[in-house]
Amino acid sequence: MSKTICGLVCAAVLACTPLSSLAQAWPTKTVRIVLPGPPASSPDRITRVLAERLSKKWGQSVVVDNKPGASTRIGGEIVARAAPDGHTLLSTFVTHSTVKLLYPETPYDPVKDFVAITQYATPESILAVRSDSPYKTLQELVAGIKAEKRPLRYAHFGNGSSFHVYGLIVGRETGIEVLPVPYKGEALQMNDLLGGHVELSFNSVGTALPHIRSGKVRPLGIITSERSKVLPDVPTFKELGIKGMERGGWFGWLAPAGTPKAVVDQIQRDVKEILADPEVAKSMRDQGIEPVGSTPEAFGQTIRAEVEQWGQLLKEFNVQAN
């Protein structure tokens, strides 16, 4: 039996099952959380904390399966084709919203082929240079690049990613030429920044924070609507006069389309309960990650809005697939 037919059969069976019985019976086996990014990334770290606690709550193994590459398409396709029974979930991030825009051949739709469960976090992101950079501020950096009449090389997490577009916005708003350098993961970006192979890099605060505290990296600006509690001395891009950099990204969970609402609602409630735990919330905030725990309906609206907003930006900057 093909995966498609199996999924339809499962959906039909589940649709005939009373919601109360379904919620009580689920999960009946290991829950697999596919994460379309590398280990040790910010979404990976938080997803593993949630998985460990959910395993205890549900009485079943909850495993995180990293499937990085292809701008989240590898992991996304796995979950889109999985049986809609709540045992295969997707823990993803804002790149999910752009994948179909960049790669029209993508065999799934980021909205129609999934059901939103919850946005579990809003991460803070920064633009950083090495601590031995001659540039202490963004203004100094821009002035230096203009004086040298050269493009600015910056590292980002994948073509069409939020980090990619952030750099293009900085170029537009400051009038400098930028040269994006794509990487397959934040750890690789940071390694090349520390090694002097790129001049600056966009990174999540969680990834950059150890290097900031050790004095190896200097943040020039932070992508938040207001100053960070973790890095209160770092100005927001709005303060720096850069428009369009107030909105951060998101981390969230989705399930295959057709997953019963009772199961989706149970996952959302349980994740929200864990996020409310003071120990978990503090650990996340210490990494520059704000717990959210939104409803499925609210998260679904967020994704639809993101698809439209990022579509406009990708068109404006003529961002093409790799």
Side-chain angles (χ1 to χ4, degrees):
M1 183 182 293
S2 71
K3 290 183 179 179
T4 301
I5 295 175
C6 179
L8 292 173
V9 171
C10 288
V13 172
L14 291 169
C16 296
T17 304
L19 294 181
S20 58
S21 300
L22 186 62
Q24 291 173 4
W26 181 91
T28 59
K29 59 183 179 179
T30 296
V31 176
R32 178 190 184 193
I33 304 176
V34 178
L35 196 148
S41 61
S42 292
D44 177 78
R45 291 193 299 271
I46 306 303
T47 297
R48 291 183 183 278
V49 170
L50 294 173
E52 180 181 2
R53 298 218 173 194
L54 289 171
S55 179
K56 295 176 182 178
K57 180 180 287 288
W58 293 340
Q60 292 284 352
S61 295
V62 181
V63 299
V64 179
D65 187 5
N66 295 89
K67 295 294 182 183
S71 297
T72 75
R73 285 179 294 161
I74 296 173
E77 184 173 0
I78 290 172
V79 177
R81 292 183 174 182
D85 59 7
H87 291 95
T88 304
L89 310 176
L90 182 67
S91 179
T92 191
F93 34 91
V94 70
T95 306
H96 178 83
S97 303
T98 67
V99 65
K100 190 74 173 180
L101 301 168
L102 282 169
Y103 303 92
E105 72 278 10
T106 299
Y108 63 85
D109 186 283
V111 175
K112 297 178 182 178
D113 291 330
F114 298 88
V115 57
I117 299 175
T118 186
Q119 176 184 339
Y120 66 86
T122 298
E124 297 176 351
S125 301
I126 60 166
L127 178 62
V129 296
R130 290 202 324 176
S131 57
D132 60 358
S133 168
Y135 307 119
K136 302 295 190 295
T137 66
L138 183 64
Q139 292 92 333
E140 290 181 4
L141 173 69
V142 170
I145 295 300
K146 288 183 176 179
E148 296 175 27
K149 298 180 180 180
R150 64 175 177 84
L152 176 65
R153 289 167 56 87
Y154 72 94
H156 65 84
F157 174 50
N159 211 48
S161 66
S162 56
F163 290 174
H164 181 190
V165 176
Y166 292 151
L168 298 175
I169 292 174
V170 169
R172 178 192 67 190
E173 293 296 305
T174 61
I176 61 175
E177 181 183 356
V178 293
L179 181 60
V181 182
Y183 286 83
K184 292 184 178 180
E186 281 196 83
L188 296 175
Q189 290 175 236
M190 184 55 67
N191 287 341
D192 269 14
L193 177 64
L194 295 172
H197 302 295
V198 288
E199 194 162 10
L200 70 163
S201 175
F202 281 98
N203 285 95
S204 64
V205 168
T207 297
L209 200 55
H211 304 291
I212 295 171
R213 288 175 172 165
S214 68
K216 296 178 180 178
V217 166
R218 178 190 305 124
L220 301 183
I222 191 163
I223 304 166
T224 52
S225 58
E226 56 187 36
R227 290 213 178 191
S228 168
K229 293 181 175 64
V230 179
L231 298 171
D233 295 331
V234 181
T236 67
F237 278 92
K238 183 177 181 180
E239 291 178 79
L240 295 170
I242 307 294
K243 300 177 181 178
M245 300 277 281
E246 302 86 9
R247 184 181 69 253
W250 53 258
F251 298 160
W253 283 13
L254 301 98
T259 299
K261 188 176 188 303
V263 173
V264 170
D265 288 344
Q266 179 180 333
I267 298 171
Q268 187 272 334
R269 286 193 303 268
D270 291 344
V271 168
K272 184 176 182 180
E273 181 180 322
I274 294 169
L275 294 173
D277 182 283
E279 180 182 349
V280 174
K282 182 180 185 303
S283 174
M284 292 175 65
R285 290 183 174 121
D286 286 347
Q287 301 176 58
I289 302 171
E290 183 65 26
V292 179
S294 65
T295 65
E297 293 76 18
F299 185 37
Q301 291 174 2
T302 294
I303 294 175
R304 289 189 292 273
E306 289 281 332
V307 169
E308 181 177 349
Q309 291 165 356
W310 286 109
Q312 293 172 355
L313 287 169
L314 295 177
K315 183 177 181 180
E316 175 186 346
F317 293 116
N318 192 30
V319 175
Q320 303 294 323
N322 292 332

